[in-house]
Coordinates of all heavy atoms in Angstrom, one line a residue:
F206 N 17.2 -19.6 -4.2 CA 16.3 -18.7 -5.0 C 14.9 -18.9 -4.6 O 14.2 -17.9 -4.4 CB 16.4 -19.0 -6.5 CG 17.7 -18.7 -7.1 CD1 18.2 -19.4 -8.2 CD2 18.5 -17.6 -6.7 CE1 19.4 -19.1 -8.8 CE2 19.7 -17.2 -7.3 CZ 20.2 -18.0 -8.3
G207 N 14.5 -20.1 -4.4 CA 13.1 -20.4 -4.0 C 12.7 -19.7 -2.7 O 11.6 -19.1 -2.6
N208 N 13.7 -19.7 -1.7 CA 13.4 -19.1 -0.5 C 13.4 -17.6 -0.6 O 12.5 -16.9 -0.1 CB 14.6 -19.4 0.5 CG 14.5 -20.9 1.0 OD1 13.5 -21.5 0.8 ND2 15.5 -21.3 1.6
L209 N 14.4 -17.0 -1.3 CA 14.5 -15.6 -1.4 C 13.4 -14.9 -2.3 O 13.0 -13.8 -2.0 CB 15.9 -15.2 -2.0 CG 17.1 -15.6 -1.1 CD1 18.4 -15.4 -1.8 CD2 17.1 -14.7 0.2
A210 N 13.0 -15.7 -3.3 CA 12.0 -15.1 -4.3 C 10.6 -14.9 -3.7 O 9.8 -14.1 -4.2 CB 11.9 -16.1 -5.5
E211 N 10.4 -15.5 -2.5 CA 9.1 -15.3 -1.9 C 9.0 -13.8 -1.3 O 7.9 -13.3 -1.0 CB 8.9 -16.3 -0.7 CG 8.8 -17.7 -1.2 CD 7.5 -18.1 -2.0 OE1 6.6 -17.3 -1.9 OE2 7.5 -19.1 -2.6
L212 N 10.2 -13.2 -1.1 CA 10.3 -11.9 -0.4 C 10.1 -10.8 -1.5 O 10.8 -10.8 -2.5 CB 11.6 -11.8 0.3 CG 11.6 -11.1 1.6 CD1 10.8 -12.0 2.6 CD2 13.0 -10.9 2.1
E213 N 9.2 -9.9 -1.3 CA 8.9 -8.9 -2.3 C 10.1 -8.1 -2.6 O 10.4 -7.7 -3.8 CB 7.7 -8.0 -1.8 CG 6.9 -7.4 -2.9 CD 6.5 -8.3 -4.0 OE1 6.0 -9.4 -3.8 OE2 6.9 -7.9 -5.2
S214 N 10.9 -7.8 -1.6 CA 12.1 -6.9 -1.8 C 13.2 -7.6 -2.7 O 14.1 -6.9 -3.2 CB 12.7 -6.6 -0.5 OG 13.1 -7.7 0.2
S215 N 13.1 -8.9 -2.9 CA 14.1 -9.6 -3.7 C 13.8 -9.4 -5.2 O 14.7 -9.5 -6.0 CB 14.0 -11.1 -3.4 OG 12.9 -11.7 -4.0
K216 N 12.6 -9.1 -5.6 CA 12.2 -9.2 -7.0 C 13.0 -8.1 -7.8 O 13.4 -8.4 -8.9 CB 10.7 -8.9 -7.1 CG 9.8 -9.8 -6.3 CD 9.5 -11.1 -7.0 CE 8.7 -12.2 -6.3 NZ 7.7 -11.9 -5.4
E217 N 13.2 -6.9 -7.2 CA 13.9 -5.9 -8.0 C 15.3 -6.3 -8.3 O 15.9 -6.2 -9.3 CB 13.9 -4.6 -7.3 CG 12.7 -3.7 -7.7 CD 12.6 -2.4 -7.0 OE1 13.6 -1.7 -6.9 OE2 11.5 -2.1 -6.5
Q218 N 16.0 -7.0 -7.2 CA 17.4 -7.4 -7.4 C 17.4 -8.5 -8.4 O 18.3 -8.5 -9.2 CB 17.9 -7.9 -6.0 CG 18.5 -6.8 -5.2 CD 19.7 -7.3 -4.4 OE1 20.4 -8.2 -4.7 NE2 19.9 -6.6 -3.3
F219 N 16.5 -9.5 -8.3 CA 16.5 -10.5 -9.3 C 16.3 -10.0 -10.8 O 17.0 -10.4 -11.7 CB 15.3 -11.5 -9.1 CG 15.6 -12.6 -8.1 CD1 15.0 -12.7 -6.9 CD2 16.6 -13.5 -8.4 CE1 15.3 -13.7 -6.0 CE2 16.9 -14.5 -7.5 CZ 16.3 -14.6 -6.3
A220 N 15.4 -8.9 -10.9 CA 15.2 -8.3 -12.2 C 16.4 -7.7 -12.8 O 16.5 -7.6 -14.0 CB 14.0 -7.3 -12.1
S221 N 17.4 -7.3 -11.9 CA 18.6 -6.6 -12.4 C 19.7 -7.6 -12.8 O 20.8 -7.2 -13.2 CB 19.1 -5.6 -11.4 OG 19.5 -6.3 -10.3
T222 N 19.4 -8.9 -12.7 CA 20.4 -9.9 -13.0 C 19.9 -10.6 -14.3 O 18.8 -10.3 -14.8 CB 20.5 -11.0 -11.9 OG1 19.3 -11.7 -11.9 CG2 20.8 -10.4 -10.6
N223 N 20.6 -11.6 -14.7 CA 20.2 -12.4 -15.9 C 19.6 -13.7 -15.4 O 19.7 -14.8 -16.1 CB 21.3 -12.6 -16.9 CG 22.4 -13.4 -16.3 OD1 22.6 -13.5 -15.1 ND2 23.2 -14.1 -17.1
I224 N 18.9 -13.7 -14.3 CA 18.3 -14.9 -13.7 C 17.3 -15.6 -14.7 O 17.3 -16.8 -14.8 CB 17.5 -14.6 -12.4 CG1 16.9 -15.8 -11.8 CG2 16.4 -13.6 -12.6 CD1 17.8 -16.6 -10.9
A225 N 16.5 -14.8 -15.5 CA 15.6 -15.4 -16.4 C 16.3 -16.3 -17.4 O 15.9 -17.4 -17.7 CB 14.8 -14.3 -17.1
E226 N 17.3 -15.7 -18.0 CA 18.1 -16.4 -19.0 C 18.7 -17.7 -18.4 O 18.7 -18.8 -19.1 CB 19.3 -15.5 -19.5 CG 19.8 -15.7 -20.8 CD 20.9 -14.7 -21.1 OE1 20.7 -13.5 -20.8 OE2 22.0 -15.1 -21.5
E227 N 19.3 -17.6 -17.2 CA 20.0 -18.8 -16.6 C 19.0 -19.9 -16.3 O 19.3 -21.0 -16.5 CB 20.7 -18.3 -15.4 CG 21.9 -17.4 -15.6 CD 23.0 -18.0 -16.4 OE1 23.0 -19.2 -16.8 OE2 24.0 -17.3 -16.8
L228 N 17.8 -19.5 -15.8 CA 16.8 -20.5 -15.4 C 16.3 -21.2 -16.6 O 16.1 -22.4 -16.6 CB 15.7 -19.8 -14.6 CG 16.0 -19.5 -13.1 CD1 14.9 -18.7 -12.5 CD2 16.4 -20.7 -12.3
V229 N 16.0 -20.4 -17.7 CA 15.5 -21.0 -18.9 C 16.5 -22.0 -19.5 O 16.2 -23.1 -20.0 CB 15.0 -19.9 -19.9 CG1 14.6 -20.5 -21.2 CG2 13.8 -19.1 -19.3
K230 N 17.8 -21.5 -19.5 CA 18.9 -22.3 -20.1 C 18.9 -23.7 -19.3 O 19.0 -24.7 -19.9 CB 20.2 -21.6 -19.9 CG 21.2 -22.0 -20.9 CD 22.3 -20.9 -21.1 CE 22.9 -20.4 -19.8 NZ 24.0 -19.4 -20.0
L231 N 18.8 -23.6 -18.0 CA 18.9 -24.7 -17.1 C 17.7 -25.6 -17.4 O 17.8 -26.9 -17.4 CB 19.0 -24.3 -15.7 CG 19.3 -25.3 -14.6 CD1 20.7 -25.9 -14.8 CD2 19.1 -24.7 -13.2
F232 N 16.5 -25.0 -17.5 CA 15.3 -25.7 -17.7 C 15.3 -26.6 -18.9 O 14.9 -27.7 -18.9 CB 14.1 -24.7 -17.7 CG 12.8 -25.4 -17.7 CD1 12.2 -25.7 -16.4 CD2 12.0 -25.6 -18.8 CE1 11.0 -26.3 -16.3 CE2 10.8 -26.3 -18.7 CZ 10.3 -26.6 -17.5
K233 N 15.9 -26.0 -20.0 CA 15.9 -26.7 -21.3 C 16.7 -28.0 -21.2 O 16.5 -29.0 -21.9 CB 16.5 -25.8 -22.4 CG 15.5 -24.8 -22.8 CD 16.2 -23.8 -23.8 CE 15.1 -22.8 -24.3 NZ 15.8 -21.7 -25.1
K234 N 17.7 -28.0 -20.2 CA 18.6 -29.2 -20.1 C 17.9 -30.3 -19.3 O 18.4 -31.5 -19.3 CB 19.9 -28.8 -19.4 CG 20.8 -27.9 -20.2 CD 22.0 -27.6 -19.4 CE 22.8 -26.5 -20.0 NZ 23.8 -25.9 -19.1
Q235 N 16.9 -30.0 -18.6 CA 16.4 -31.0 -17.6 C 15.5 -32.1 -18.3 O 14.7 -31.8 -19.1 CB 15.6 -30.3 -16.5 CG 16.3 -29.3 -15.7 CD 17.7 -29.7 -15.2 OE1 17.8 -30.8 -14.7 NE2 18.6 -28.8 -15.3
I236 N 15.7 -33.3 -17.8 CA 14.9 -34.4 -18.2 C 14.0 -34.9 -17.1 O 12.8 -35.2 -17.3 CB 15.8 -35.5 -18.8 CG1 16.6 -35.0 -20.0 CG2 14.9 -36.7 -19.2 CD1 17.8 -35.8 -20.3
E237 N 14.6 -34.9 -15.9 CA 13.8 -35.5 -14.7 C 12.8 -34.5 -14.3 O 13.0 -33.3 -14.2 CB 14.8 -35.7 -13.6 CG 15.8 -36.8 -13.9 CD 16.9 -36.8 -12.8 OE1 16.6 -36.8 -11.6 OE2 18.1 -36.9 -13.2
H238 N 11.6 -35.2 -13.9 CA 10.5 -34.4 -13.4 C 10.9 -33.5 -12.2 O 10.5 -32.4 -12.1 CB 9.3 -35.3 -13.1 CG 8.2 -34.7 -12.4 ND1 7.3 -33.8 -13.0 CD2 7.9 -34.7 -11.0 CE1 6.4 -33.4 -12.1 NE2 6.8 -33.9 -10.9
D239 N 11.6 -34.2 -11.2 CA 11.9 -33.5 -10.0 C 12.7 -32.2 -10.2 O 12.5 -31.2 -9.5 CB 12.6 -34.4 -9.0 CG 11.7 -35.5 -8.5 OD1 10.5 -35.5 -8.8 OD2 12.2 -36.5 -7.9
K240 N 13.6 -32.3 -11.1 CA 14.5 -31.1 -11.4 C 13.7 -30.0 -12.0 O 13.8 -28.9 -11.7 CB 15.6 -31.6 -12.3 CG 16.7 -32.5 -11.7 CD 17.6 -31.7 -10.9 CE 18.8 -32.5 -10.2 NZ 18.7 -33.9 -10.1
K241 N 12.8 -30.4 -13.0 CA 11.9 -29.4 -13.6 C 11.0 -28.7 -12.5 O 10.9 -27.5 -12.5 CB 11.1 -30.0 -14.7 CG 11.8 -30.4 -16.0 CD 10.8 -30.9 -16.9 CE 11.5 -31.4 -18.2 NZ 10.6 -32.1 -19.1
E242 N 10.5 -29.6 -11.7 CA 9.6 -29.1 -10.6 C 10.3 -28.1 -9.7 O 9.8 -27.0 -9.3 CB 9.2 -30.3 -9.7 CG 7.9 -30.1 -8.9 CD 6.7 -29.8 -9.8 OE1 6.5 -30.4 -10.9 OE2 5.9 -28.9 -9.4

Side-chain angles (χ1 to χ4, degrees):
F206 289 148
N208 288 347
L209 296 169
E211 297 291 342
L212 221 63
E213 209 40 58
S214 59
S215 74
K216 305 276 177 32
E217 267 178 52
Q218 274 212 27
F219 273 119
S221 65
T222 69
N223 63 336
I224 181 84
E226 203 181 313
E227 293 298 353
L228 287 175
V229 173
K230 204 160 50 179
L231 190 65
F232 191 82
K233 285 175 178 170
K234 291 180 192 163
Q235 302 311 319
I236 299 157
E237 294 168 47
H238 168 76
D239 291 350
K240 291 280 184 339
K241 285 184 186 170
E242 201 61 39

